[in-house]
Amino acid sequence: MNLILFGPPGAGKGTQAERLHDAYGLAKLSSGDMLRSPGTLNNLARTYMQRGDLVPDDLIIAIIRGRLNQKDCARGFILDGFPRTAPQAEALDGMLKEIRKSLSYVIELKVDDRQLIERIAGRFTCAKCGAVYHDSFHKLKTEGACDACGGTQFSRREDDKVETVARRLESYHRQTAPLLPYYKGKGVLQTIDGMASIEEVTAKINAIVSSGSNKNAAKNS
Ligand code: ADP
Ligand code: ADP
Ligand code: ZN
């Protein structure tokens, strides 16, 4: 099963990708995490990311290409944050062809801009394991300690500031959302109300992926 989690910044893609990884053993390919991981290549991307602009297509396509060819992707993968532009979507089609895979589902999480701003403003992550939390919507069970690993250090993303968020939302609406009709045309698009709670969204995704309701779902699984 090969999935794309599609949606604006703050929609809950990372949160749900983590759950899909745990539940189904799918490789989690988060473009933002890859770009933020230490490495020379990725330093190039930093200026773009700090401004809230998309990094150049060639750069992210090369990173994804390398990652898709790794062994753990053979059993299925979840793309989170890629593709975000038309050239990226085209490149992805080419890469999938090369490795003889197809998309099972593109799952769109639909969330209002106002809610997105609130989600991003309250987001923080465990510095040790990367688990994602929220000041109001997903609190730590024990104050000061990560639910998943017990870590006590947390961080907030540099680009999760109000000014930058506006640019990120704008680029989502202008460059990324226009890809939706393309995936709808392929018959793989499933849209979910992402305004629901984390648990409810997980349940809806599980219902989709376990229904096998599309022609590619059984292939390459
Ligand atoms: P994305 O990867 O799409 O940017 P995240 O998964 O990082 O989104 O979620 C953004 C923030 O919103 C995080 O702080 C997360 O805890 C919180 N969040 C995720 N899903 C929901 C939800 N369904 N309801 C409320 N808050 C959520
Ligand atoms: P979110 O979903 O919360 O916006 P991500 O972690 O997916 O955050 O992305 C953070 C930043 O990394 C983006 O604002 C952009 O600068 C860069 N980035 C991530 N994925 C891509 C992509 N597919 N194409 C171009 N830039 C990307
Ligand atoms: Zn942790």
Side-chain angles (χ1 to χ4, degrees):
M1 186 162 62
N2 307 311
L3 310 173
I4 297 178
L5 281 179
F6 198 100
K13 303 181 298 295
T15 301
Q16 299 299 335
E18 191 57 48
R19 290 172 165 228
L20 283 162
H21 167 77
D22 292 347
Y24 301 97
L26 303 172
K28 185 169 78 98
L29 279 57
S30 161
S31 54
D33 287 350
M34 291 177 202
L35 289 165
R36 279 184 295 273
S37 81
T40 331
L41 181 66
N42 308 337
N43 286 338
L44 260 172
R46 253 189 104 157
T47 33
Y48 290 93
M49 295 169 78
Q50 281 171 341
R51 283 200 301 260
D53 290 334
L54 295 180
V55 307
D57 287 330
D58 293 354
L59 174 67
I60 189 66
I61 288 168
I63 294 173
I64 295 287
R65 181 187 297 280
R67 186 67 185 84
L68 273 175
N69 283 305
Q70 285 174 18
K71 228 165 130 194
D72 63 330
C73 292
R75 289 173 52 207
F77 55 82
I78 316 148
L79 281 164
D80 155 20
F82 182 93
R84 266 166 145 109
T85 64
Q88 291 179 22
E90 277 167 36
L92 177 63
D93 281 350
M95 293 186 253
L96 292 176
K97 224 172 173 175
E98 279 167 29
I99 58 173
R100 295 205 184 81
K101 298 237 172 222
S102 56
L103 292 170
S104 315
Y105 300 104
V106 175
I107 300 177
E108 179 200 7
L109 304 177
K110 233 183 147 89
V111 177
D112 295 353
D113 281 8
R114 259 185 57 190
Q115 170 74 10
L116 294 170
I117 292 165
E118 243 183 276
R119 286 191 187 177
I120 290 170
R123 167 161 62 187
F124 65 96
T125 50
C126 170
K128 197 166 159 194
C129 77
V132 181
Y133 298 94
H134 190 279
D135 294 325
S136 316
F137 308 138
H138 184 191
K139 296 182 180 173
L140 295 167
K141 286 190 182 122
T142 312
E143 175 86 35
C146 173
D147 298 359
C149 78
T152 54
Q153 307 271 46
F154 298 91
S155 62
R156 289 182 195 258
R157 273 168 51 181
E158 247 180 286
D159 60 341
D160 278 355
K161 299 179 295 216
V162 183
E163 313 86 78
T164 320
V165 169
R167 279 183 83 83
R168 285 158 60 200
L169 289 178
E170 198 260 334
S171 76
Y172 176 78
H173 292 300
R174 189 165 44 86
Q175 293 179 274
T176 310
L179 302 178
L180 288 166
Y182 176 66
Y183 289 116
K184 191 168 185 198
K186 283 176 174 277
V188 291
L189 182 66
Q190 297 278 345
T191 299
I192 288 182
D193 176 14
M195 299 287 285
S197 71
I198 295 175
E199 297 300 334
E200 284 167 321
V201 173
T202 302
K204 284 180 192 164
I205 294 175
N206 282 334
I208 291 169
V209 300
S210 56
S211 71
S213 67
N214 101 21
K215 58 181 170 45
N216 294 331
K219 273 198 268 169
N220 310 313
S221 55

